[in-house]
Each structure stands twice: as C-alpha cells, then as structure tokens.
Amino acid sequence: ALEIEAMMKQPAPPAVEYFTSRAREEEERMKEAAKRSEGGNDGPSAATQHFEKQKSMKAEMVKAAREEINNKPAEKPLPVDYFTKLGDREMEEKARIAKELADAQCPRGIANFTQRAEEEKARKYKEWESGHGEMSVATKYFNKLAIEQEAEAKRRAIEEPEAMPAAIQKFSMEAFEKREKQKAEIQAMKECKPEMAPGQAYFTNEMLAEKQARDEENARLREAPPPSSVATAYFAKEQSKRALEIEAM
C-alpha cells in the first residue's frame, strides 16, 4: 500500500499529461455546447428562432380563422335538392329559348301537325294517368296508388325538404358563386369587348375587308354571271335534247 501511494505521488509521464489535458478540454467544450443548446447566455440559434416565429404565426392565423368562423352568422340550411332544381330551371330556360327559335324558323304546316301530335300525346297520357281506357281493375288501383304516392312525395319535398349537410352546402355554395361570377364576367366581355392590340386589329380589319370584297364579287357574279364558253353551251344543249328524248320515251 505504501508503494502504491508513493507511485501515485510521482508526476505522471508527459504522454499521460497530454491526453488528460485534451480530455478535459473536450469535456469543457461539450459542456459549453450543451449549455448553448439549452438556452444559455447566447440564446437560441437563428434556425430555432425562425421556426419558432413560423409556429407562432401559424397559431395566430388559425386563431383568427376560428374567430372569423365563430363570429360569422349561421347560414340558412338549404334543401338537399337545391342545386338540382337550379340546374333543372337553367335547362328549362335553355330548352324554352331553343323551342322559340325553332318555332320561329319552322314552316306553318309542320308547326300545325306538330302541335296536333303533342295534343294527342297529352290526351292519351291524361287518359292513362286518370285510369281510364282499357285497364283492368287491378291496373287502375295500382295506377291510382302510384299517382297518390307521387303527389305525397312532391308535397313532402315542398313542405318538409331534407336539409343539406353544412359542409356540402358551404363548398357547394362557394363553387356555385364562383361559377356565377365567371359567367357574369364572360357575359360582360361579350357585351363590352376589350380593345384589340394594334397588330391584331390591323390583321383583323384586313381579313374582314378581304371577306367583304369576296362576298361582293360573288353576289355580282350571281346577279350577272359571265357568258359561258362555246363548249359549255353545246353540252348544255345536248343535255336538254337528251332529257326531252327520255321524257318522250
């Protein structure tokens, strides 16, 4: 034990002293780095500050969005078939315009027979709906029952409509308003066309002038066609003779 104590009191070799001092320096550096990472005197790093700022901004945006939703008055629930009926009315309006255009261009005789056919079809359908005609008792009963059920379903759809889910209503209304806004913008552009660029206006005017000149030339040729050649006149005469011979046969 005395020998061991004497050896411990002796100075360490230079190599041991060197590596021991290196180990102490490394330990001090690690302690200093840990202290900085835990928020020491130097504070958090720039990257940490950036992400903390982004996180706080996101939290504020979420909070503002929630407050806006909470303060917004509740929308009136719409029937589940609200947009279906809107589409049906739009299609009916388009069909009405197309029918008026067709009726305006339709000859009177065709319009008369078409109206008669529609009246006959409506009469037959009314007979079938009321249960008259050649129907058995069972057919009349079930026909009447189906009509009553259909009327009841229509009444319930009007008086007690099924409400549309809030989420579907929200996104559907946003899409509908966006589509209506686009339609209004397109209609406004049709009514008030924007001015063309100088180059586009130049070539467009040139094209319209050439088209007008061709139309005028074609109209002049239709009114006063040029004289046909001798060969054309000869073959036209031979063709008329041949047609007369065929009729005589």
Side-chain angles (χ1 to χ4, degrees):
L2 294 175
E3 293 179 357
I4 295 172
E5 186 178 355
M7 291 176 63
M8 292 178 63
K9 291 181 179 180
Q10 291 180 0
V16 175
E17 289 288 344
Y18 172 75
F19 287 110
T20 302
S21 62
R22 290 288 301 273
R24 289 173 181 171
E25 292 174 0
E26 185 68 22
E27 185 178 359
E28 291 294 331
R29 282 199 301 269
M30 291 178 65
K31 287 182 179 180
E32 188 67 23
K35 187 177 179 181
R36 286 199 303 268
S37 64
E38 292 176 359
N41 297 329
D42 296 338
S45 62
T48 304
Q49 294 177 3
H50 171 75
F51 289 114
E52 288 292 334
K53 185 178 179 180
Q54 292 289 330
K55 186 177 180 180
S56 61
M57 290 175 62
K58 185 177 180 180
E60 291 177 0
M61 291 174 63
V62 172
K63 183 179 178 181
R66 287 178 178 174
E67 291 178 354
E68 183 180 357
I69 293 173
N70 294 331
N71 296 331
K72 187 177 180 181
E75 296 182 356
K76 182 180 178 181
L78 299 175
V80 70
D81 58 347
Y82 176 78
F83 294 104
T84 303
K85 290 181 178 179
L86 281 181
D88 292 342
R89 285 199 292 269
E90 187 175 351
M91 294 297 294
E92 289 175 359
E93 181 66 17
K94 290 182 180 179
R96 184 187 64 78
I97 295 174
K99 186 176 184 301
E100 291 179 355
L101 181 61
D103 292 342
Q105 299 177 355
C106 182
R108 184 176 300 176
I110 296 176
N112 185 20
F113 286 110
T114 303
Q115 184 178 0
R116 288 185 181 181
E118 290 179 353
E119 292 175 355
E120 182 66 17
K121 182 179 179 181
R123 184 185 64 79
K124 291 182 178 179
Y125 180 76
K126 188 175 181 181
E127 288 182 357
W128 175 86
E129 190 178 26
S130 60
H132 297 299
E134 298 178 357
M135 289 186 181
S136 63
V137 178
T139 305
K140 290 180 180 180
Y141 170 76
F142 288 111
N143 181 35
K144 183 180 179 181
L145 183 62
I147 292 172
E148 292 176 355
Q149 290 177 352
E150 184 179 358
E152 179 65 17
K154 289 181 179 179
R155 184 194 64 79
R156 292 184 62 185
I158 295 173
E159 297 179 0
E160 303 173 4
E162 182 182 357
M164 186 184 301
I168 296 177
Q169 177 177 337
K170 179 181 182 299
F171 293 108
S172 299
M173 285 299 297
E174 289 178 357
F176 176 75
E177 292 173 357
K178 184 178 180 181
R179 185 170 69 91
E180 290 298 315
K181 183 179 178 182
Q182 291 176 349
K183 287 173 61 177
E185 291 176 353
I186 293 172
Q187 186 64 28
M189 290 180 65
K190 288 181 179 179
E191 295 176 356
C192 303
K193 296 181 179 180
E195 296 183 0
M196 293 186 291
Q200 183 181 3
Y202 172 78
F203 289 108
T204 302
N205 295 333
E206 286 287 327
M207 181 184 67
L208 294 176
E210 292 178 0
K211 183 178 181 300
Q212 184 177 1
R214 287 197 303 269
D215 293 342
E216 292 175 355
E217 180 66 17
N218 292 334
R220 186 182 64 79
L221 291 175
R222 283 194 298 270
E223 294 175 358
S228 58
S229 63
V230 177
T232 304
Y234 171 77
F235 287 112
K237 185 177 180 181
E238 290 295 324
Q239 186 176 2
S240 63
K241 287 181 180 180
R242 180 62 179 167
L244 294 174
E245 291 176 359
I246 293 173
E247 289 180 358
M249 294 174 62

